[in-house]
Amino acid sequence: RYSLHLLFEAPISQCVLIACSENDISSEMFFLSILPLRHDDLKEMLDSNKDSLKLEAMKRIVAMIARGKNASDLFPAVVKNVACKNIEVKKLVYVYLVRYAEEQQDLALLSISTFQRGLKDPNQLIRASALRVLSSIRVTIIVPIMMLAIKEAASDMSPYVRKTAAHAIPKLYSLDPEQKDQLIEVIEKLLADKTTLVAGSVVMAFEEVCPERIDLIHKNYRKLCNLLIDVEEWGQVVIINMLTRYARTQFLNPNINEKKAEAMAMAKRKPYVMDPDHRLLLRNTKPLLQSRNAAVVMAVAQLYFHLAPKAEVGVIAKALVRLLRSHSEVQYVVLQNVATMTIKRRGMFEPYLKSFYIRSTDPTQIKVLKLEVLTNLANETNISTILREFQTYIKSMDKDFVAATIQAIGRCATNIGEVRDTCLNGLVQLLSNRDELVVAESVVVIKKLLQMQPEKHSDIIKHMAKLTDNIQVPMARASILWLIGEYCEHVPKIAPDVLRKMAKSFTNEEDIVKLQIINLAAKLYLTNSKQTKLLTQYVLNLAKYDQNYDIRDRARFIRQLIVPTEKSGALSKYAKKLFLALKPAPVLESPFKDRDHFQLGSLSHLLNAKAGGYQELPDWPEAAPDPSVRNVEVKESVRCDTQCGSDNLICQTFLSPFDSDLFSTESDSASGSESGSGSGEESGSGSQMLSFSTIAPSSTVKSYELLHRITGEGLSVEYCFSRQPFSSDANMVAVQMQFTNNSTSETKSLHMEDVKLQSGMRVKEFAEIESLPAGESATAVMGIDFCDSTQAANFQLKFFVSIQPPVGELMQPVFLTENEFKKEQGQLMGMNEITEKLTLDIKCRNEHAIVQRVTTTANLSRVPCGSDKECRFAGRTVTSGSLVLVTVVTKDEGATQLTVNCEKMVIGTMLVKDILLALTQ
Amino acid sequence: MIHSLFLINQSGDIFLEKHWKSVIGRSVCDYFFEAKEKAVDPENVAPVLQTPHHYLISILRGKLFFLSVIQTEVPPLFVIEFLHRVADTFQDYFGDCSEGVIKDNLVTVYELLEEMLDNGFPLATESNVLKEMIRPPTILRSVVNTLTGGSNVGDTLPTGQLSNIPWRRAGVKYTNNEAYFDVIEEIDAILDKSGTTVCAEIQGVIEACVRLTGMPDLTLSFMNPRLLDDVSFHPCVRFKRWESERVLSFIPPDGNFTLMTYHVSSQNLVAIPVYVKQNISFFETGPCGRLDITIGPKQTMGKTVEGLMVTIHMPKAVLSANLTATQGNYSYDLATKVLVWDIGKLNPQKLPNLRGSLSMQAGVPRPEENPSLNIELKIQQLAISGLKVSRLDMYGEKYKPFKGVKYVTKAGKFQVRT
């Protein structure tokens, strides 16, 4: 009935609907193709008031665009529908508009007001899509409107709209480059954005608009490093590539000692210490080697290749070898980069030699690249395996590949002296191959090898002389002739005969062969003029009338030089010296040599030519620029409230007496900078941790997750035991909590509810946080009396959470002298003493490390002690004040005895377990 | 970045073009056609070509070329990876990525391309996000849509794009909650003439099909995670937990996805499930050659080898093959010179054998090389590396899901040289 009703609408709708109802199995294009419609009909459909007809018409029009057919004359009819209610019609109109607006600028302006309205829509996705289409319309007249829209969107509440703004920047820039300065301002603003959604897109805009403004990155460097793991994969690639360039301008070369010449100069300078920011970048990119996206893996690999200390570059090999399993296009690009890397850092791919073995089913280009890598990897130890492998390749049906293999053998032979003779013999055997291409390639390679030691191999030269009868490939003929000419003294009898034959066939030879015949003739004339004088004259005469002017020129020149006449100048005296000068042997080197001056993974590297828009990878600076430019002022709201001031003091008194190093690092982070040095390690999500490090005063304080941002619907909470006495109740353990609102809306009234505790436990709640705006963080401190047990404190914080303390946090340090310690220990013997024998972890075999690990595990203070073999620690449990005494006595080779004395046996046993773990791992 | 995309079929027709910036004429593809002409096989076309004003980066998927036009510096892998992602998306949407299917769904394809790139930079490539915006076609919907004027475009706005976990859509609901994991291992090996292993390695992949309501948080652990030497993960996997505990902890995407791929450490000896005895020889005198191949089980861990198939690319001079197979069928394609012997299940009591004569083109010299054998096989219920999933736990949701793990071993690039 529905179709009948429509039948009266218009003639076209009739056919369409009949077509529809008759083909109920059809896919969407089935009936579109059976009924080609004229443009007039389409216009009529677009003007109708039925959405279904409009949609139908738009689908046909988009299909025309997709096929590359011209649909520009429908513009007025289509643009009218830009405000259509139906979403799909609207989207298709957008597709049309973006495609043709450039050609119909005046008409396109009709649609602008719709988008301007869309920019004000309360729905973020509509705002974003309006901006997206508006910025894609390439009409110069609307540049000011676009600029305004971008600026507005850049400070939009929604990160998605801000992301779209970042995307719009390069579009506007390509439309009107004069807007650059204003756009840079927007980029600067968006670079400061803290959301992962925006990060990738804005760096992309940065790279397209102002890649030279490296100074914009300073303040955002640490944030970008920390966000990186959570950015979407395409953004990761762009950020990593940009940061590679950044690091090259800001940090020192970690491999400076590699160059011996500079080692001297280095000795005078202070020793190299890696900038913590440099380390941060390396550490935060490493996990991305495990990405499923080949482009991300390659980006990290090139970052490591260009920035990491030599000893650490090796980690990328495994990941790159993994990519060889991927699509052949991926293999192609990866192998190109591996080929370049193997020249400089051969060692790292050597364990994966077999992964580069060639299968007969590989495409030729992959085979050739694998061959290149194998050749680069060849050394004295593996050459025999590689040559055996090459032998199987020579029999391949793919002749281009065989030719490349022969070249590769030649290169192995030049690089590795031990196998030169073996290779040469192998190649000589190939001279009897049935395939001419193989023979020709062998000749060319043998020629190069013979140049190294001609005197030893006159028999090979003789053998090759015989080949001139059969071999037709010009390059090979030319090579043989050159060889005979060059070493005619080694084959005095054969050489004139070869020249005789060549003189006979001169006119039929290719140009390169002719040139070599002339060379051969000249050289023979100089050494053996008796036999060859006439022949030479004959050849030169033939050449004189050759069609090719190069050959005529050469003949004329050589005749003047070698045949003495009255007119010939002083030069002819030296003719022999000129022709038979000792020529240096050619160096067979990889075409990938020195390609690493292009940033690896780039298009320019692949093409070995600078592509448009390529940013040079700068050389390392001689002296590092000021690292403090990357310091960021911490917002007041993030800093912890009243206790912050005393923070440093406490740390100082606890740690400085025995660990000055530790103290110095932490005074850095406590002094207000968002130090990267310790931050990334402990937390999964960098963004939260970033601000967290400013609160945790010491790197020894470990933080725990209370509420993950996913389970918390955007709210994430982490907590740590700040190890400060809880001010209002001395029997409580202070727990510092860090709230971060990752959602897009404000969170209100954060407070504790429904506290469930074991008997005896008490909690001092933190003050309610009234509101936490999107993207912001706040901290609060609460106190819990755990009653000297490790039972959990459970409560509601919008969601159900629980805090369970490690046993080491249930105590606080006390200061004892050595004598006091021994006295107290004497009273806690027998049942109260627990002793354990252990072997220290290799990294932990010094006093410094032991102290650090024990104090990290438990909140104890060190007791001064005369012997360096013994470390003693003391503390009291928070609730009952029972003494906890720990003694670590080290013996040879890491054998160690750990003793814990404590009245509370449960605490003692658990503490032993924890410390044991800390010392052995 | 990516300026334009052209889809080209095997015979060299451009059947779809899409431009993300100003329009670039089709003539730019001529450089590509020239290169294609030069390369004998389509797969030998270099993926990156340079023309006077543009760079062309192409991939070959199935029988289609995806050719993108680039104007400025961009990491080539970035483009290649993206193009493959486009092809994967088509596959995912239409069940196939062929010319016919793309032509049939031209408008949907166009809408997808529009969403996947903005100004040449990837915007939404997660299948879950795309499916919220553009619904995959089903027969029923296309009928309903044509009658009612309904649309493929989702009327709810995609929220996945805005969330921290873009790979999972919100508000997923199922009546049957189930999570299946397929552990698929492939043996890549080269065996030489005498049957000794030149190189062999195991590559594995865990394919997941997860249909769970809500926001489940899964943890998958292995009995022997130390076997895994090198891994790569879907972005949903929490890398830190893997580093510290060697478990896979993740909030899964909805539907099918590749959870991880792995490589088994090369120190472990790789078990080769079959041995091949072969003798292929071409005689100097007389236009003929002989072929004799027998396959038997080697290290099969007590399982049956199925889906056994041998493919041989013969030298050009081989005109026809007159063979007898004790099991399965063989076929010889005269045009491509490919001999395929489809054996099926391997019976250890009665080993399959293929023998007979090959007739050669007269007057052509004897081929230098014997062609190598490519072997395909499949072993159900076995992960050849010995990897075992120990358990799957779910947090964050209350219901009990149905869980299943399946193991399969296949031959990857398994080649026997002769």
Side-chain angles (χ1 to χ4, degrees), chain B residues 185-247:
Chain B
E185 296 196 337
E186 294 194 351
I187 309 168
D188 284 359
I190 301 178
L191 307 184
D192 75 1
K193 212 172 191 161
S194 57
T196 33
T197 313
V198 177
C199 67
E201 49 189 19
I202 299 172
Q203 305 283 346
V205 56
I206 300 184
E207 298 282 358
C209 173
V210 177
R211 301 178 193 282
L212 296 175
T213 308
M215 251 325 149
D217 197 333
L218 302 180
T219 307
L220 185 79
S221 45
F222 299 100
M223 306 272 266
N224 38 10
R226 274 162 191 249
L227 275 176
L228 307 178
D229 177 40
D230 178 46
V231 285
S232 76
F233 298 123
H234 188 277
C236 69
V237 176
R238 297 185 181 105
F239 187 69
K240 292 274 173 190
R241 295 243 0 229
W242 170 257
E243 284 253 283
S244 58
E245 299 163 52
R246 298 274 141 177
V247 296

Coordinates of all heavy atoms in Angstrom, one line a residue, chain B residues 185-247:
Chain B
E185 N 48.6 -21.7 15.7 CA 50.1 -21.6 15.5 C 50.4 -22.0 14.1 O 49.8 -23.0 13.6 CB 50.8 -22.5 16.6 CG 50.5 -22.1 18.0 CD 51.5 -22.7 19.0 OE1 52.0 -23.7 18.7 OE2 51.7 -22.0 20.0
E186 N 51.4 -21.3 13.6 CA 51.8 -21.7 12.2 C 53.3 -22.0 12.3 O 54.1 -21.3 13.0 CB 51.6 -20.5 11.3 CG 50.1 -20.2 11.1 CD 49.9 -19.3 9.9 OE1 50.9 -18.8 9.4 OE2 48.7 -19.2 9.5
I187 N 53.7 -23.0 11.6 CA 55.1 -23.4 11.5 C 55.7 -22.9 10.2 O 55.2 -23.2 9.2 CB 55.3 -24.9 11.5 CG1 54.5 -25.5 12.7 CG2 56.7 -25.3 11.6 CD1 54.4 -27.1 12.6
D188 N 56.6 -22.0 10.4 CA 57.4 -21.5 9.2 C 58.6 -22.3 9.1 O 59.4 -22.3 10.1 CB 57.7 -20.0 9.3 CG 56.5 -19.2 9.1 OD1 55.5 -19.7 8.8 OD2 56.7 -17.9 9.2
A189 N 58.9 -23.0 8.0 CA 60.1 -23.8 8.0 C 60.6 -23.9 6.6 O 59.9 -23.7 5.6 CB 59.8 -25.2 8.5
I190 N 61.9 -24.1 6.5 CA 62.6 -24.4 5.2 C 63.3 -25.7 5.5 O 64.1 -25.8 6.4 CB 63.5 -23.4 4.7 CG1 62.8 -22.0 4.5 CG2 64.2 -23.8 3.4 CD1 63.8 -20.9 4.1
L191 N 63.0 -26.8 4.7 CA 63.7 -28.0 4.9 C 64.5 -28.2 3.6 O 64.1 -27.8 2.5 CB 62.7 -29.2 5.0 CG 61.7 -29.1 6.0 CD1 60.9 -30.4 6.1 CD2 62.3 -28.9 7.4
D192 N 65.7 -28.8 3.8 CA 66.5 -28.9 2.6 C 66.3 -30.3 2.0 O 65.4 -31.1 2.4 CB 68.0 -28.6 2.8 CG 68.7 -29.7 3.6 OD1 68.0 -30.7 3.9 OD2 69.9 -29.6 3.9
K193 N 67.0 -30.6 0.9 CA 66.8 -31.8 0.1 C 66.7 -33.0 0.9 O 65.9 -33.9 0.8 CB 67.9 -31.8 -0.9 CG 67.6 -32.5 -2.2 CD 68.8 -32.3 -3.1 CE 68.4 -32.6 -4.5 NZ 69.4 -32.1 -5.5
S194 N 67.7 -33.1 1.9 CA 67.8 -34.3 2.7 C 66.8 -34.4 3.8 O 66.8 -35.3 4.6 CB 69.2 -34.5 3.2 OG 69.5 -33.3 4.0
G195 N 66.0 -33.3 4.0 CA 65.0 -33.3 5.0 C 65.4 -32.7 6.3 O 64.7 -32.6 7.3
T196 N 66.7 -32.2 6.3 CA 67.1 -31.5 7.5 C 66.5 -30.1 7.5 O 66.3 -29.5 6.5 CB 68.6 -31.4 7.6 OG1 69.2 -31.3 6.3 CG2 69.2 -32.5 8.4
T197 N 66.3 -29.6 8.7 CA 65.7 -28.3 8.9 C 66.7 -27.2 8.7 O 67.7 -27.1 9.4 CB 65.1 -28.1 10.3 OG1 64.4 -29.3 10.6 CG2 64.2 -26.9 10.4
V198 N 66.5 -26.3 7.7 CA 67.4 -25.2 7.5 C 67.0 -24.1 8.5 O 67.8 -23.5 9.1 CB 67.2 -24.6 6.0 CG1 68.1 -23.4 5.8 CG2 67.6 -25.7 5.0
C199 N 65.7 -23.8 8.6 CA 65.3 -22.9 9.6 C 63.8 -23.2 9.9 O 63.1 -23.7 9.0 CB 65.5 -21.4 9.3 SG 64.5 -20.8 7.9
A200 N 63.4 -23.0 11.1 CA 62.0 -23.3 11.5 C 61.7 -22.4 12.7 O 62.5 -22.2 13.6 CB 61.8 -24.7 11.9
E201 N 60.5 -21.9 12.7 CA 60.0 -21.1 13.8 C 58.5 -21.2 13.9 O 57.8 -21.6 12.9 CB 60.5 -19.7 13.7 CG 60.2 -19.0 12.4 CD 60.9 -17.6 12.3 OE1 61.8 -17.4 13.1 OE2 60.5 -16.8 11.5
I202 N 58.0 -20.9 15.1 CA 56.6 -21.0 15.3 C 56.0 -19.6 15.6 O 56.6 -18.8 16.4 CB 56.2 -21.9 16.5 CG1 56.7 -23.3 16.2 CG2 54.7 -21.9 16.8 CD1 56.6 -24.2 17.4
Q203 N 55.0 -19.2 14.8 CA 54.3 -18.0 15.0 C 52.9 -18.3 15.4 O 52.3 -19.1 14.8 CB 54.3 -17.2 13.7 CG 55.6 -16.9 13.0 CD 56.4 -15.8 13.7 OE1 55.9 -15.1 14.5 NE2 57.7 -15.8 13.4
G204 N 52.5 -17.6 16.5 CA 51.1 -17.9 16.9 C 50.3 -16.7 17.0 O 50.8 -15.6 17.0
V205 N 49.0 -16.9 17.0 CA 48.1 -15.8 17.1 C 46.9 -16.3 18.0 O 46.5 -17.5 17.9 CB 47.6 -15.3 15.7 CG1 47.1 -16.4 14.9 CG2 46.7 -14.2 15.8
I206 N 46.4 -15.4 18.8 CA 45.2 -15.8 19.6 C 44.0 -14.9 19.0 O 44.0 -13.7 19.2 CB 45.3 -15.5 21.1 CG1 46.5 -16.4 21.6 CG2 44.0 -15.9 21.8 CD1 46.7 -16.4 23.1
E207 N 43.1 -15.6 18.4 CA 41.9 -14.9 17.8 C 40.8 -15.0 18.9 O 40.6 -16.1 19.4 CB 41.5 -15.5 16.5 CG 42.5 -15.4 15.4 CD 42.5 -14.1 14.7 OE1 41.7 -13.2 15.1 OE2 43.4 -13.9 13.8
A208 N 40.1 -14.0 19.1 CA 39.1 -14.0 20.1 C 37.8 -13.7 19.5 O 37.7 -12.9 18.6 CB 39.4 -13.1 21.3
C209 N 36.7 -14.3 20.1 CA 35.4 -13.9 19.7 C 34.7 -13.7 21.1 O 34.4 -14.7 21.8 CB 34.7 -15.0 18.9 SG 33.0 -14.7 18.6
V210 N 34.5 -12.5 21.5 CA 33.9 -12.2 22.8 C 32.6 -11.5 22.6 O 32.5 -10.5 22.0 CB 34.9 -11.3 23.6 CG1 34.3 -11.0 24.9 CG2 36.2 -12.0 23.7
R211 N 31.6 -12.2 23.2 CA 30.2 -11.6 23.2 C 29.8 -11.5 24.6 O 29.2 -12.5 25.1 CB 29.2 -12.3 22.4 CG 29.7 -12.4 20.9 CD 28.7 -13.2 20.1 NE 29.4 -13.5 18.8 CZ 29.5 -12.6 17.8 NH1 28.9 -11.5 18.0 NH2 30.1 -13.0 16.7
L212 N 30.1 -10.5 25.3 CA 29.8 -10.3 26.7 C 29.1 -9.0 27.0 O 29.4 -8.0 26.4 CB 31.1 -10.4 27.6 CG 31.9 -11.7 27.5 CD1 33.2 -11.5 28.3 CD2 31.2 -12.8 28.1
T213 N 28.1 -9.1 27.9 CA 27.3 -7.9 28.3 C 28.2 -7.0 29.1 O 29.0 -7.4 29.9 CB 26.1 -8.4 29.0 OG1 25.5 -9.4 28.3 CG2 25.1 -7.2 29.3
G214 N 27.9 -5.7 28.9 CA 28.5 -4.7 29.8 C 29.9 -4.4 29.6 O 30.4 -4.3 28.5
M215 N 30.6 -4.2 30.7 CA 32.1 -3.8 30.6 C 32.9 -4.8 31.3 O 33.4 -4.6 32.4 CB 32.2 -2.5 31.4 CG 32.5 -1.2 30.6 SD 33.5 -1.2 29.2 CE 32.7 0.1 28.3
P216 N 33.0 -6.0 30.8 CA 33.8 -7.1 31.5 C 35.3 -6.8 31.4 O 35.8 -6.2 30.4 CB 33.5 -8.3 30.7 CG 33.2 -7.9 29.3 CD 32.6 -6.5 29.4
D217 N 36.0 -7.1 32.5 CA 37.4 -7.0 32.5 C 38.0 -8.4 32.6 O 37.8 -9.1 33.6 CB 37.8 -6.2 33.7 CG 39.2 -5.6 33.6 OD1 40.0 -6.3 32.9 OD2 39.5 -4.6 34.2
L218 N 38.7 -8.8 31.6 CA 39.1 -10.2 31.5 C 40.6 -10.4 31.8 O 41.4 -9.5 31.6 CB 38.8 -10.8 30.1 CG 37.4 -10.8 29.6 CD1 37.3 -11.3 28.2 CD2 36.5 -11.5 30.5
T219 N 40.9 -11.5 32.4 CA 42.3 -11.9 32.6 C 42.5 -13.3 32.1 O 41.9 -14.2 32.5 CB 42.6 -11.8 34.1 OG1 42.2 -10.6 34.6 CG2 44.1 -12.0 34.3
L220 N 43.4 -13.4 31.1 CA 43.8 -14.7 30.5 C 45.2 -15.0 30.9 O 46.1 -14.2 30.8 CB 43.7 -14.5 29.0 CG 43.9 -15.8 28.2 CD1 42.6 -16.6 28.2 CD2 44.2 -15.5 26.8
S221 N 45.3 -16.2 31.5 CA 46.7 -16.6 31.9 C 47.1 -17.9 31.3 O 46.3 -18.7 30.9 CB 46.8 -16.6 33.5 OG 45.7 -17.3 34.0
F222 N 48.4 -18.1 31.2 CA 48.9 -19.3 30.5 C 49.6 -20.2 31.5 O 50.1 -19.7 32.6 CB 50.0 -18.9 29.5 CG 49.4 -18.0 28.4 CD1 49.6 -16.6 28.4 CD2 48.7 -18.6 27.4 CE1 49.1 -15.8 27.4 CE2 48.2 -17.7 26.4 CZ 48.4 -16.4 26.4
M223 N 49.6 -21.5 31.2 CA 50.4 -22.4 32.0 C 51.9 -22.1 31.9 O 52.7 -22.2 32.8 CB 50.2 -23.9 31.6 CG 48.7 -24.2 31.5 SD 48.2 -24.9 33.0 CE 48.4 -26.6 32.7
N224 N 52.3 -21.8 30.7 CA 53.7 -21.7 30.4 C 54.0 -20.4 29.6 O 54.4 -20.5 28.4 CB 54.2 -22.9 29.6 CG 53.2 -23.4 28.6 OD1 52.2 -22.7 28.4 ND2 53.4 -24.5 28.1
P225 N 53.8 -19.3 30.2 CA 54.0 -18.0 29.4 C 55.5 -17.8 29.0 O 55.8 -17.0 28.1 CB 53.6 -16.9 30.4 CG 53.7 -17.5 31.7 CD 53.4 -19.0 31.6
R226 N 56.4 -18.5 29.6 CA 57.8 -18.3 29.3 C 58.1 -18.7 27.9 O 59.1 -18.3 27.3 CB 58.7 -19.1 30.2 CG 59.0 -18.4 31.5 CD 59.5 -19.3 32.5 NE 59.6 -18.6 33.8 CZ 60.7 -18.3 34.4 NH1 61.8 -18.7 33.9 NH2 60.7 -17.7 35.6
L227 N 57.3 -19.5 27.3 CA 57.5 -20.0 25.9 C 57.5 -18.8 25.0 O 58.1 -18.7 23.9 CB 56.4 -20.9 25.5 CG 56.5 -22.4 25.8 CD1 55.3 -23.1 25.4 CD2 57.7 -22.9 25.1
L228 N 56.7 -17.8 25.3 CA 56.5 -16.6 24.4 C 57.7 -15.7 24.4 O 58.1 -15.2 25.4 CB 55.2 -15.9 24.8 CG 54.0 -16.7 25.0 CD1 52.8 -15.9 25.4 CD2 53.7 -17.4 23.7
D229 N 58.3 -15.6 23.3 CA 59.5 -14.9 23.2 C 59.2 -13.4 22.8 O 59.8 -12.5 23.3 CB 60.4 -15.6 22.1 CG 61.7 -14.9 21.8 OD1 62.2 -14.4 22.8 OD2 62.1 -14.8 20.7
D230 N 58.4 -13.3 21.8 CA 58.1 -11.9 21.3 C 56.6 -11.8 21.1 O 56.0 -12.7 20.6 CB 58.8 -11.7 20.0 CG 58.5 -10.3 19.5 OD1 58.6 -9.4 20.2 OD2 58.2 -10.2 18.3
V231 N 56.0 -10.8 21.6 CA 54.5 -10.7 21.5 C 54.1 -9.3 20.9 O 54.8 -8.3 21.1 CB 53.9 -10.8 22.9 CG1 53.9 -12.3 23.3 CG2 54.6 -9.9 23.9
S232 N 52.9 -9.3 20.3 CA 52.3 -8.0 20.1 C 50.9 -8.1 20.4 O 50.3 -9.1 20.3 CB 52.5 -7.6 18.6 OG 51.7 -8.3 17.8
F233 N 50.3 -6.9 20.9 CA 49.0 -7.0 21.5 C 48.0 -6.1 20.8 O 48.4 -5.1 20.2 CB 49.1 -6.5 22.9 CG 49.9 -7.4 23.8 CD1 51.0 -6.8 24.5 CD2 49.7 -8.7 23.9 CE1 51.8 -7.6 25.3 CE2 50.4 -9.5 24.8 CZ 51.5 -8.9 25.5
H234 N 46.8 -6.4 20.9 CA 45.7 -5.5 20.6 C 45.8 -4.4 21.6 O 46.2 -4.6 22.8 CB 44.4 -6.2 20.8 CG 43.2 -5.4 20.3 ND1 42.6 -4.5 21.1 CD2 42.5 -5.4 19.1 CE1 41.6 -3.9 20.4 NE2 41.5 -4.5 19.2
P235 N 45.5 -3.1 21.2 CA 45.7 -2.0 22.2 C 44.9 -2.2 23.5 O 45.3 -1.5 24.5 CB 45.1 -0.8 21.4 CG 45.0 -1.2 20.0 CD 45.0 -2.7 19.9
C236 N 44.0 -3.1 23.6 CA 43.2 -3.2 24.8 C 44.0 -3.9 25.9 O 43.7 -3.8 27.1 CB 41.9 -4.0 24.6 SG 42.1 -5.7 24.2
V237 N 45.1 -4.6 25.6 CA 45.8 -5.4 26.6 C 46.7 -4.5 27.4 O 47.4 -3.6 26.9 CB 46.7 -6.5 25.9 CG1 47.5 -7.2 26.9 CG2 45.8 -7.4 25.1
R238 N 46.7 -4.6 28.7 CA 47.5 -3.8 29.6 C 48.9 -4.3 29.6 O 49.2 -5.4 30.2 CB 46.9 -3.8 31.0 CG 45.5 -3.2 31.0 CD 44.9 -3.1 32.4 NE 43.6 -2.6 32.4 CZ 42.5 -3.4 32.6 NH1 42.6 -4.6 32.9 NH2 41.3 -2.8 32.5
F239 N 49.8 -3.5 29.1 CA 51.1 -4.0 28.9 C 51.9 -4.2 30.2 O 52.6 -5.1 30.4 CB 51.9 -3.0 28.0 CG 53.3 -3.5 27.6 CD1 53.4 -4.6 26.8 CD2 54.4 -2.9 28.2 CE1 54.6 -5.1 26.5 CE2 55.6 -3.4 27.8 CZ 55.7 -4.5 27.0
K240 N 51.6 -3.3 31.2 CA 52.3 -3.3 32.5 C 52.0 -4.7 33.2 O 52.9 -5.2 33.8 CB 51.8 -2.2 33.4 CG 52.2 -0.8 32.9 CD 53.5 -0.5 33.4 CE 53.9 0.8 32.8 NZ 55.3 1.2 33.0
R241 N 50.7 -5.1 33.1 CA 50.4 -6.4 33.8 C 51.2 -7.5 33.1 O 51.6 -8.5 33.7 CB 48.9 -6.7 33.8 CG 48.2 -5.7 34.6 CD 47.4 -6.2 35.8 NE 47.4 -7.6 36.2 CZ 46.3 -8.2 36.5 NH1 45.1 -7.7 36.4 NH2 46.4 -9.5 37.0
W242 N 51.3 -7.5 31.8 CA 52.0 -8.5 31.1 C 53.5 -8.5 31.5 O 54.1 -9.5 31.8 CB 51.9 -8.3 29.6 CG 52.8 -9.2 28.8 CD1 54.0 -8.9 28.2 CD2 52.6 -10.6 28.6 NE1 54.5 -10.0 27.6 CE2 53.7 -11.1 27.8 CE3 51.6 -11.5 28.9 CZ2 53.9 -12.4 27.4 CZ3 51.8 -12.9 28.5 CH2 52.9 -13.3 27.8
E243 N 54.0 -7.3 31.6 CA 55.4 -7.2 32.0 C 55.7 -7.8 33.4 O 56.6 -8.5 33.6 CB 55.8 -5.7 32.0 CG 56.0 -5.1 30.7 CD 57.5 -4.9 30.4 OE1 58.0 -3.9 30.9 OE2 58.1 -5.7 29.6
S244 N 54.8 -7.5 34.3 CA 55.0 -7.9 35.7 C 54.5 -9.3 36.0 O 55.2 -10.0 36.7 CB 54.4 -6.8 36.6 OG 53.1 -6.7 36.4
E245 N 53.4 -9.6 35.4 CA 52.8 -10.9 35.9 C 52.6 -11.9 34.8 O 52.2 -13.1 35.0 CB 51.4 -10.7 36.5 CG 51.4 -9.8 37.7 CD 50.0 -9.3 38.0 OE1 49.1 -10.1 38.1 OE2 49.8 -8.0 38.1
R246 N 52.9 -11.5 33.5 CA 52.8 -12.4 32.4 C 51.3 -12.9 32.3 O 51.1 -14.1 32.0 CB 53.7 -13.6 32.5 CG 55.2 -13.2 32.5 CD 55.7 -13.1 31.1 NE 56.6 -12.0 31.0 CZ 57.2 -11.6 29.9 NH1 57.0 -12.3 28.8 NH2 58.0 -10.6 29.8
V247 N 50.4 -12.1 32.5 CA 49.0 -12.4 32.2 C 48.4 -11.4 31.2 O 48.9 -10.2 31.2 CB 48.1 -12.5 33.5 CG1 48.5 -13.5 34.4 CG2 48.1 -11.1 34.2

